[in-house]
Amino acid sequence: MKIFLIILYALLFLLLCVFLTKVSFRIKASSDVTMTLEVLFLKFPIFPKKESRPNARRFTKKGLERQILKERKKADKQKRKKADKAAKKDAKKQAAPKKGAEKKQKMSVIEIIELVTLLVRKLLNHLSRRLKIDVKRLNVTVATGDAASTAILYGAVSAAAAGLTELLYTAAKTKLPDEKNGGVFADFTGNKTTVDIELVLSMRVYNAFITLVSLAYHYLKKQFFGNMKG
């Protein structure tokens, strides 16, 4: 009987430790955006997805010959399409190379902020408002080398950052950074726009369990009562 109680208490203690374990999603953005799942000392990259390992069979003699043959067939089919696209791109570059470069830089900064916003929104939608959000850094310095272009880009980036900040405020537990680590700044003397964002969205395992139970309950309720009404 004592052994049974010891095993039972040990299992309950282990279950308690598991339920109290913190699960975190760390989102970082600079020149690109990454999201990592962290459980204790374990880290699992979620976004972007890792490329699958190459198949060893593809690197045998027969595999390489088949691969080369496939590539030649694809090259023959896409030769004309690539030539047409290259000609169109050259024409656009020759027409307005500077304007296109500024547009690409502007979009890259805004797209980074919008991608971070999208990842946060998906986590909030799937894991409810039980997530605790710790905004480590949210710094964007806008600089293009031209005062007018910097002012225009600063307005667009500020609007994108405001959307992200508004989304962060919707969470029940959000820790915002201090003035040094949070804000959109305009550097009229600089030549390069920089992004430094790090968010940690975390919750305990028991909160995740409650969320899953709640989602399952609402799903079954909708299915059951939906069929009853039909």
Side-chain angles (χ1 to χ4, degrees), residues 109-111 113-114 117 154-165 184:
V109 178
I110 295 175
E111 284 175 354
I113 299 175
E114 288 179 345
T117 305
Y154 174 76
V157 172
S158 296
L164 174 59
T165 305
V184 179

Side-chain angles (χ1 to χ4, degrees), residues 188-205:
F188 294 100
T189 61
N191 297 316
K192 185 179 179 181
T193 298
T194 59
V195 181
D196 185 16
I197 299 175
E198 183 177 0
L199 311 173
V200 179
L201 298 88
S202 60
M203 66 190 310
R204 301 289 180 181
V205 172

Side-chain angles (χ1 to χ4, degrees), residues 7-200:
I7 295 174
L8 179 61
Y9 290 148
L11 291 174
L12 291 174
F13 178 76
L14 180 61
L15 186 63
L16 180 63
C17 291
V18 171
F19 269 79
L20 292 177
T21 301
K22 182 185 289 185
V23 178
S24 301
F25 297 89
R26 187 178 298 271
I27 300 174
K28 288 186 176 182
S30 54
S31 58
D32 55 358
V33 181
T34 61
M35 183 168 69
T36 307
L37 172 63
E38 299 179 356
V39 183
L40 297 177
F41 57 89
L42 301 176
K43 296 182 179 180
F44 306 94
I46 297 177
F47 181 87
K49 292 183 179 179
K50 279 188 173 182
E51 296 182 358
S52 58
R53 293 182 178 179
N55 189 356
R57 294 180 181 178
R58 294 180 61 188
F59 295 94
T60 60
K61 185 178 180 181
K62 291 183 179 180
L64 289 172
E65 289 176 353
R66 291 175 183 174
Q67 191 175 353
I68 292 171
L69 184 61
K70 287 182 180 179
E71 291 296 330
R72 285 179 179 175
K73 289 181 179 179
K74 289 181 180 179
D76 292 337
K77 290 181 180 179
Q78 297 179 356
K79 188 176 181 180
R80 291 181 180 178
K81 293 182 179 180
K82 288 182 179 180
D84 293 338
K85 289 181 180 179
K88 290 179 181 179
K89 286 182 180 179
D90 291 337
K92 289 181 179 179
K93 287 180 180 179
Q94 290 176 2
K98 187 177 180 181
K99 187 176 180 181
E102 289 178 358
K103 186 175 181 181
K104 185 177 180 182
Q105 184 182 12
K106 177 182 176 182
M107 290 300 294
S108 64
V109 178
I110 295 175
E111 284 175 354
I112 286 174
I113 299 175
E114 288 179 345
L115 182 54
V116 172
T117 305
L118 178 62
L119 292 174
V120 174
R121 182 178 287 111
K122 284 192 173 184
L123 288 174
L124 288 175
N125 289 339
H126 288 83
L127 299 177
S128 78
R129 297 295 187 268
R130 293 184 177 89
L131 276 172
K132 180 181 178 182
I133 302 178
D134 185 6
V135 184
K136 301 290 186 182
R137 295 184 305 280
L138 208 168
N139 280 325
V140 182
T141 302
V142 180
T144 63
D146 178 71
S149 299
T150 300
I152 295 172
L153 181 56
Y154 174 76
V157 172
S158 296
L164 174 59
T165 305
E166 184 178 356
L167 178 62
L168 293 172
Y169 271 119
T170 61
K173 299 178 181 179
T174 301
K175 182 182 178 183
L176 296 176
D178 53 20
E179 295 181 356
K180 294 181 180 179
N181 294 316
V184 179
F185 309 97
D187 184 3
F188 294 100
T189 61
N191 297 316
K192 185 179 179 181
T193 298
T194 59
V195 181
D196 185 16
I197 299 175
E198 183 177 0
L199 311 173
V200 179

